[in-house]
Amino acid sequence: MTTTTTPRPTTHAHAAGSGVSFAHVLRSEWIKLRSLRSTAWCFAVIAVLLIGFAALGAALSSVFAGSEATPEQQQSIAVTIITFGSPFAQLVAAVLGALIITGEYGTGMIRSTFTAVPRRTSALVAKIVLVGAGTFVVSLVALAIALLVATPLLAGQGVDVDLADGRLWASVVGAAAAVAFTAMISFGLGAIIRNGAAGIAAAIGVVFVLPIIFGIAQGLVGKGWIYTLNEFTPPQAATRLYDYPLDGTSMLTMPGVDGSLVLEPWQALLVLVGWVVVLFAVALALVKRRDV
């Protein structure tokens, strides 16, 4: 007599990816992020730019300071010099943010990623969180070192830095956040475009070309609405995060015109969050609909 045994169905949740927790996805993405040479190089360049430009600016700070600077003006000069490398660091962060996602599409590794995480949402969330957090930490450490390096150099040029000034530290943190937000915005663009060269070009265009376009428009037209519109662009909003204005006048941005809007730091933060959320939402919708 022969008996037939019906095989018991087995479920391999982890193989299918449905049982993978976000913590596991985050750890996996962190391993990928730190194992890439491009990540290490970009982080290193960001640190060198932030520290190097601060040291250079501090050595030449007498050009800015003059002999009649008030203590508040000296603080503004110090913030300007310490954060002088931030726009250049944002350019590198833009490249990094785009590379993180477009590089996987270019090598085909994205197929393995989405096979392990078929719903795709947690994979993208983990990537953008790590890109933003990693860039922020590297930038903050570099800016703190830049502050330590620049302070004695500034003192030698007659600019005394008050390290107990809360606005000074808020600007340092804001500058690090500006670099991180740029990386996350570029990640969103890269996830939408998917092509490496095009993604990097779009990211650099937002960070570098867009301010030039608005600068030309402001010079030619000079209307208040142009200045107001510029406030909502990522580069300008990023600058507002670490600005140290005196009586409404900034050393980092062009003066506005009557009737134009100037964002407060918390408003600029909301603008940048909005850019990240909108671009990421579009990217997520497209990633879920597209084939890899």
Side-chain angles (χ1 to χ4, degrees):
M1 180 175 180
T2 304
T3 59
T4 303
T5 303
T6 304
R8 174 181 286 179
T10 58
T11 57
H12 300 282
H14 289 281
S18 58
V20 179
S21 67
F22 180 71
H24 287 112
V25 175
L26 197 66
R27 182 181 179 184
S28 174
E29 293 299 330
W30 168 241
I31 292 173
K32 285 194 289 185
L33 180 67
R34 63 186 175 89
S35 63
L36 293 172
R37 290 184 180 180
S38 58
T39 303
W41 276 107
C42 286
F43 281 165
V45 172
I46 287 173
V48 168
L49 288 173
L50 291 173
I51 298 171
F53 273 106
L56 179 62
L60 302 175
S61 59
S62 59
V63 177
F64 304 97
S67 58
E68 302 297 331
T70 65
E72 191 175 22
Q73 289 173 336
Q74 291 183 21
Q75 287 295 98
S76 181
I77 292 169
V79 169
T80 301
I81 290 171
I82 292 164
T83 62
F84 190 55
S86 182
F88 304 98
Q90 289 175 45
L91 278 174
V92 181
V95 174
L96 174 63
L99 275 178
I100 291 300
I101 184 65
T102 60
E104 285 206 37
Y105 278 103
T107 60
M109 186 181 292
I110 197 70
R111 296 186 182 90
S112 300
T113 299
F114 289 158
T115 299
V117 190
R119 293 183 180 179
R120 304 184 180 185
T121 301
S122 58
L124 283 186
V125 171
K127 288 178 185 294
I128 196 170
V129 167
L130 289 172
V131 168
T135 309
F136 175 77
V137 171
V138 170
S139 300
L140 185 60
V141 171
L143 284 163
I145 296 173
L147 177 60
L148 295 176
V149 171
T151 297
L153 294 175
L154 287 168
Q157 299 287 352
V159 180
D160 295 322
V161 182
D162 180 11
L163 296 179
D165 182 10
R167 289 180 64 194
L168 170 69
W169 289 104
S171 294
V172 170
V173 174
V179 180
F181 273 111
T182 301
M184 289 187 287
I185 289 171
S186 299
F187 177 89
L189 289 172
I192 292 171
I193 298 172
R194 299 199 296 180
N195 178 269
I200 292 173
I204 292 177
V206 169
V207 175
F208 183 72
V209 179
L210 199 58
I212 296 176
I213 293 174
F214 271 96
I216 294 173
Q218 290 168 359
L220 294 176
V221 181
K223 298 294 184 180
W225 65 268
I226 295 179
Y227 286 82
T228 298
L229 186 61
N230 185 36
E231 288 289 305
F232 292 90
T233 61
Q236 183 72 359
T239 301
R240 292 300 181 198
L241 285 182
Y242 58 91
D243 200 2
Y244 196 108
L246 298 176
D247 299 324
T249 303
S250 170
M251 296 184 66
L252 296 173
T253 60
M254 294 178 61
V257 297
D258 293 339
S260 62
L261 174 68
V262 176
L263 296 178
E264 296 291 332
W266 67 270
Q267 294 172 322
L269 178 62
L270 292 178
V271 168
L272 291 171
V273 169
W275 274 96
V276 171
V277 170
V278 170
L279 287 174
F280 184 77
V282 174
L284 185 59
L286 292 176
V287 165
K288 282 181 168 292
R289 294 179 60 183
R290 290 168 171 167
D291 293 329
V292 294

